[in-house]
């Protein structure tokens, strides 16, 4: 748990889960109530499975080299599941009993919720050990998503606690988006500082430095040169 967090969990499994959730959520647009709930539930089950992989202790799971095909597989699987559910609604299980979620919907989302809660526990343990902000971010995402899924069974299609499910999911996705924007800004600032430091080193060096393009033309040199 104390190993660096630049393993396949962050580079492969989490992106695969997020892509699958997004693709299946997209397929739910414009569908009937029962089919929409099936696709949304399927999206969360899909993502929960990929997030829960972080618990597995196997070295192969954490190796980027061994898991590069996973992203392609996740995209292909999500598109295939979404397409089949969209064009063949008759093959998908019913998710409503009158105006309430039936047992299939409740069990499916409860399992998804437990998978995300397990992932949240994994990330908070890693954060305590390493103080890595990525672990804290995905603790929030997994925790909020898990709460959304566990609260799903108390909702009605267009009433009750259904709004809470959307609210928790929106909060988790917003956290991801804000973190991404902040990280990109910090990365740009660090790159700018590094570039400035590099230029200062070259300009104050006692040695001459120059750079050429592929045709042998000068494109830069310090004052000493």
């Amino acid at each position: 748990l104390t190993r660096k967090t630049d393993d396949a969990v962050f580079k492969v499994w989490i992106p695969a889960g997020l892509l699958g959730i997004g693709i299946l959520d997209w397929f739910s647009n414009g569908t009937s109530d029962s089919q929409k709930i099936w696709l949304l539930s399927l999206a969360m089950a899909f993502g929960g499975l990929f997030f829960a992989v972080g618990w597995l202790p196997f070295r192969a799971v954490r190796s980027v080299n061994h898991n590069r095909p996973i992203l392609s597989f996740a995209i292909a699987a999500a598109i295939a599941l979404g397409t089949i559910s969209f064009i063949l609604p008759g093959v998908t299980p019913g998710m409503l009993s009158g105006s309430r979620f039936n047992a299939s919907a409740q069990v499916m989302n409860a399992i998804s919720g437990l998978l995300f809660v397990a992932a949240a526990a994994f990330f908070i343990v890693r954060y305590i050990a390493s103080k890595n902000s990525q672990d804290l971010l995905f603790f929030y995402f997994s925790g909020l998503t898990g709460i959304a899924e566990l609260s799903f069974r108390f909702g009605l299609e267009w009433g009750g606690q259904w709004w809470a499910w959307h609210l928790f999911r929106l909060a988790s996705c917003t956290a991801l988006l804000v973190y991404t924007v902040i990280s990109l800004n910090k990365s740009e600032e660090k790159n700018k500082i590094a570039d400035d430091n590099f230029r200062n080193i070259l300009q104050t060096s006692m040695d001459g430095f120059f750079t050429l393009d592929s045709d042998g033309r000068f494109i830069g040199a310090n004052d000493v040169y």
Side-chain angles (χ1 to χ4, degrees), residues 40-51:
L40 292 174
S41 300
L42 183 62
M44 302 317 296
F46 190 97
L49 285 172
F50 278 87
F51 269 69

Side-chain angles (χ1 to χ4, degrees), residues 44-156:
M44 302 317 296
F46 190 97
L49 285 172
F50 278 87
F51 269 69
V53 165
W55 275 104
L56 298 179
F58 306 118
R59 183 178 180 84
V61 169
R62 302 189 180 282
S63 171
V64 176
N65 292 332
H66 286 86
N67 290 288
R68 284 177 178 171
I70 293 297
L71 280 173
S72 299
F73 167 79
I75 294 171
I79 292 174
L81 289 170
T83 301
I84 292 172
S85 300
F86 187 81
I87 64 177
L88 299 173
V91 304
T92 61
M95 305 298 278
L96 291 172
S97 295
S99 61
R100 293 183 176 275
F101 301 125
N102 62 20
S104 297
Q106 293 182 26
V107 170
M108 191 171 181
N109 285 275
I111 292 174
S112 300
L114 292 174
L115 289 173
F116 276 107
V117 169
F122 169 74
F123 288 122
I124 195 61
V125 170
R126 278 171 59 129
Y127 174 72
I128 292 172
S130 65
K131 303 301 181 185
N132 186 293
S133 60
Q134 272 188 328
D135 289 308
L136 186 61
L137 167 71
F138 285 107
F139 162 71
Y140 286 130
F141 179 88
S142 301
L144 288 169
T145 305
I147 292 171
E149 292 303 291
L150 293 175
S151 68
F152 180 91
R153 65 182 296 272
F154 300 106
L156 302 175

Side-chain angles (χ1 to χ4, degrees), residues 173-185:
C173 293
T174 301
L176 274 181
L177 180 61
V178 170
Y179 178 85
T180 301
V181 173
I182 292 174
S183 297
L184 287 173
N185 288 336

